Amino acid sequence: PWGGVIWTVEPTNGVSWAPSFGTSTTVTSDGSTGLMYKVIATETNTGCVSNAVLGVIKVEIVSAEGADENGTLKVNCKATPSVHFVGYKHILNGSVIGQGSCDLNAGNFNFNIDQNLFTETENTFGVQMIVEGGLSCSASMAVGKTPHGKGSGVEIVSAYYIAEGIGLRLYNHQVIAEGWRTLAYSVPQFGRTLRAGTTSVKLFLGNDYGNVTWGEEHKYINSAGTHGLQMMSPPSGSYYGAPQTEYRDSSNNLWLPMDGQGVSKVWSLLYDADGVNIPATPILNPSIEVTLD
């Protein structure tokens, strides 16, 4: 890696030495595995060995950055000194998940992996960088993935139907569960490292149950804007619910910054009055925000 250097060992006091070039692995102060280069001089008569260390190639993972809503993670690394790498391996929990050749001469470099690969246990992700001759050095980071779930209190939704005999109606609106997962890296982390999940909401309609069609939407809001707006749907399959109560579910696989809220909103209510759908106008207090903390 240091170029075409020619090494010689001069005889001393009539003693002859045989020089050779060697390598070995060494654990650096931050726990990564470095590659030590050294000149080895062996005294030809006695076999006495003297080593002269040239230097240690070291790779470290500097930071992790959630790059987009799909879960791409940008892993930022640094090699000391700046050397020529010809290959790499990505290793997750002892298994190789990616490998290939490269032509890399920079001291600072980065690559992308998928955050969806990490499981809900303690993960160890490592990068092994290969120099000419097949020798390598490596670094790793720990990754923790934690599930979260949170509900809300009951909010009163006021719906006014402009029709004789209906008028103002009050319904109990509640988020049963807002689910998400967070990743924690053992290196500094930035960006989108929170994975949105499933949301369940209910609306108690009382005596209006069976006469009202309810539309519910869900979205996420945070420092980066609004994400994942979608209409919620009735639960699939068989389920047991409370009397006179409707339910809605949604599911997301978005990666977001860790500073947001899930927002569930009653966006429409239609009252069936003898076959005529009467919309609620206005709908007051329609939204519930759940902080993803």
Side-chain angles (χ1 to χ4, degrees), residues 35-261:
L35 184 61
M36 180 183 293
Y37 280 80
K38 54 192 176 183
V39 170
I40 305 170
T42 304
E43 201 274 311
T44 54
N45 293 324
T46 65
C48 180
V49 176
S50 178
N51 294 328
V53 176
L54 301 180
V56 176
I57 299 176
K58 170 186 168 183
V59 171
E60 58 183 315
I61 299 176
V62 178
S63 63
E65 180 179 355
D68 58 33
E69 291 187 351
N70 298 319
T72 302
L73 184 74
K74 181 180 177 182
V75 182
N76 299 307
C77 301
K78 180 180 180 180
T80 309
S82 179
V83 295
H84 182 213
F85 292 119
V86 297
Y88 68 90
K89 289 183 179 179
H90 297 161
I91 302 169
L92 177 59
N93 298 329
S95 299
V96 176
I97 61 171
Q99 60 184 320
S101 60
C102 63
D103 184 11
L104 183 65
N105 293 289
N108 296 307
F109 63 96
N110 60 71
F111 56 87
N112 293 334
I113 60 170
D114 186 357
Q115 294 186 92
N116 291 291
L117 294 172
F118 299 123
T119 62
E120 288 180 9
T121 58
E122 286 298 319
N123 302 270
T124 300
F125 175 80
V127 54
Q128 186 179 78
M129 300 302 297
I130 303 168
V131 299
E132 294 175 355
L135 300 169
S136 65
C137 49
S138 62
S140 64
M141 64 180 176
V143 187
K145 188 175 186 178
T146 305
H148 304 269
K150 189 177 181 181
S152 76
V154 174
E155 295 286 343
I156 305 299
V157 174
S158 300
Y160 192 82
Y161 302 98
I162 305 176
E164 185 177 352
I166 305 177
L168 179 64
R169 292 289 200 266
L170 302 178
Y171 305 130
N172 292 343
H173 187 212
Q174 185 176 15
V175 175
I176 303 170
E178 182 84 59
W180 70 97
R181 288 167 171 77
T182 56
L183 289 182
Y185 295 92
S186 60
V187 298
Q189 67 186 74
F190 312 93
R192 301 170 183 267
T193 56
L194 180 152
R195 179 184 172 182
T198 58
T199 307
S200 296
V201 179
K202 66 180 180 179
L203 188 69
F204 175 71
L205 296 167
N207 293 332
D208 288 347
Y209 182 82
N211 289 326
V212 171
T213 301
W214 161 43
E216 183 90 358
E217 68 178 26
H218 184 272
K219 63 184 178 182
Y220 299 95
I221 57 173
N222 54 36
S223 59
T226 300
H227 315 268
L229 176 64
Q230 63 177 299
M231 299 306 302
M232 302 184 75
S233 303
S236 60
S238 301
Y239 70 95
Y240 295 96
Q244 299 181 319
T245 303
E246 291 275 359
Y247 296 83
R248 296 291 183 269
D249 292 339
S250 65
S251 179
N252 268 294
N253 184 25
L254 298 175
W255 288 86
L256 308 170
M258 296 176 65
D259 64 350
Q261 296 177 318

